[in-house]
Amino acid sequence: MYNILKTRLKQGYRTSSFPGKEPVLPEKFSGRPVFDPSKCQKNCQVCIDICPTQALSKIEQKLTIDLGKCIFCHKCVEGCPASCIDFNKEYQLAVNDRNSLLLSGEEYPIAKALEEHTRRLFGRSMKLRQVSAGGCNACEADTNVLNTLVFDLGRFGIQFVASPRHADGLLITGPVTRNMEQALMKTYDAVASPKIVIVVGACAISGGIYSDLEQTNSGVSDLLPVDLFVPGCPPHPYTILDGLLRLLGRIKN
């Protein structure tokens, strides 16, 4: 018993001070992609051709990155002859609508809080049913880790529940395989209204590396109304937590 207490005292307080204090992220953490369109060569499309998920394109001759498709593989950074693409350390990536994930060099529209009436209902206590709709377990793992003492999701009044009938909304991961589509829709229908839908990871947003396959639905957007998109492959736990807290109005800047 003495050794246990000694070890516990040595460990100290392990719960993160986030959001009051900025988190310490891994040295190799990849945040939001940034690029300088002025450096982009007119007829060059090396980054477009090399991207495994077709996340890059040129719209009206302007380079655009679809963060909902991006898997943060850095192939575009390695292949760009003009070195105009890079990834910064910003972990605040969640947004409220799909179009906000299309980046063309403008300011990034980070997620805003729910409307006042909905925020009053869920702002102090929100229960979520997590649905893995054919995911590889990467996004699921980074979602589950929020329950550990480092992140302690419950201190914000947010909890994962076993039944959709006990939930205020769904947190969905995976590209929505055809075998999971009906199960997802039934789970959504079982949640009482008003309800929230949160999609986590490139697969849930766009299908990710499984996009346009006949075995998948290429994400959630055309099936359900989505309130929060959290991009990444997988997104860091702090990215997910930041998005949830912004949605509830706990982070306003």
Side-chain angles (χ1 to χ4, degrees):
M1 178 61 74
Y2 172 77
N3 288 333
I4 293 174
L5 292 174
K6 183 180 177 180
T7 302
R8 185 64 187 88
L9 288 171
K10 185 178 180 180
Q11 289 177 341
Y13 188 72
R14 304 303 296 270
T15 302
S16 166
S17 299
F18 184 82
K21 185 178 179 181
E22 285 294 298
V24 177
L25 297 168
E27 183 180 344
K28 294 185 178 181
F29 172 78
S30 291
R32 178 168 58 88
V34 291
F35 55 96
D36 185 352
S38 65
K39 292 183 179 180
C40 191
Q41 300 172 11
K42 186 175 181 181
N43 297 318
C44 176
Q45 61 172 40
V46 172
C47 61
I48 296 174
D49 295 336
I50 205 172
C51 180
T53 58
Q54 292 79 54
L56 291 104
S57 61
K58 280 191 177 180
I59 301 177
E60 298 179 355
Q61 297 302 311
K62 197 172 184 180
L63 183 64
T64 301
I65 299 178
D66 186 346
L67 199 56
K69 292 182 177 181
C70 180
I71 59 172
F72 295 74
C73 65
H74 284 230
K75 287 186 178 294
C76 56
V77 178
E78 297 163 4
C80 180
S83 301
C84 66
I85 306 176
D86 201 356
F87 287 79
N88 63 21
K89 297 295 183 181
E90 291 183 15
Y91 61 91
Q92 305 96 330
L93 300 178
V95 298
N96 297 111
D97 64 272
R98 181 69 178 87
N99 289 334
S100 294
L101 293 171
L102 300 177
L103 309 182
S104 297
E106 298 88 357
E107 186 177 347
Y108 191 65
I110 303 174
K112 296 182 179 179
L114 293 163
E115 294 181 1
E116 185 178 353
H117 172 69
T118 310
R119 194 167 69 250
R120 262 201 321 266
L121 290 175
F122 305 131
R124 294 173 67 104
S125 175
M126 183 170 68
K127 315 297 183 186
L128 296 172
R129 176 67 171 97
Q130 201 277 318
V131 179
S132 177
C136 70
N137 205 40
C139 291
E140 291 83 352
D142 276 1
T143 299
N144 290 339
V145 80
L146 294 175
N147 290 312
T148 64
L149 60 86
V150 174
F151 301 97
D152 193 13
L153 189 65
R155 65 191 160 122
F156 303 108
I158 306 172
Q159 293 178 321
F160 292 107
V161 294
S163 170
R165 298 192 184 280
H166 301 157
D168 300 310
L170 303 181
L171 188 149
I172 306 168
T173 55
V176 190
T177 58
R178 296 301 177 190
N179 288 340
M180 278 299 299
E181 184 175 339
Q182 184 180 22
L184 173 62
M185 299 307 295
K186 285 185 175 182
T187 304
Y188 176 78
D189 290 340
V191 180
S193 297
K195 46 194 165 187
I196 296 170
V197 174
I198 299 163
V199 294
V200 173
C203 286
I205 296 173
S206 66
I209 61 174
Y210 308 106
S211 177
D212 298 326
L213 296 179
E214 62 176 318
Q215 295 89 349
T216 75
N217 196 69
S218 296
V220 179
S221 297
D222 62 342
L223 293 174
L224 300 172
V226 179
D227 299 284
L228 187 72
F229 296 84
V230 186
C233 187
H236 193 278
Y238 277 121
T239 300
I240 304 171
L241 181 57
D242 178 79
L244 293 174
L245 296 182
R246 288 182 186 278
L247 191 68
L248 297 178
R250 303 288 187 89
I251 301 177
K252 299 181 181 179
N253 58 327

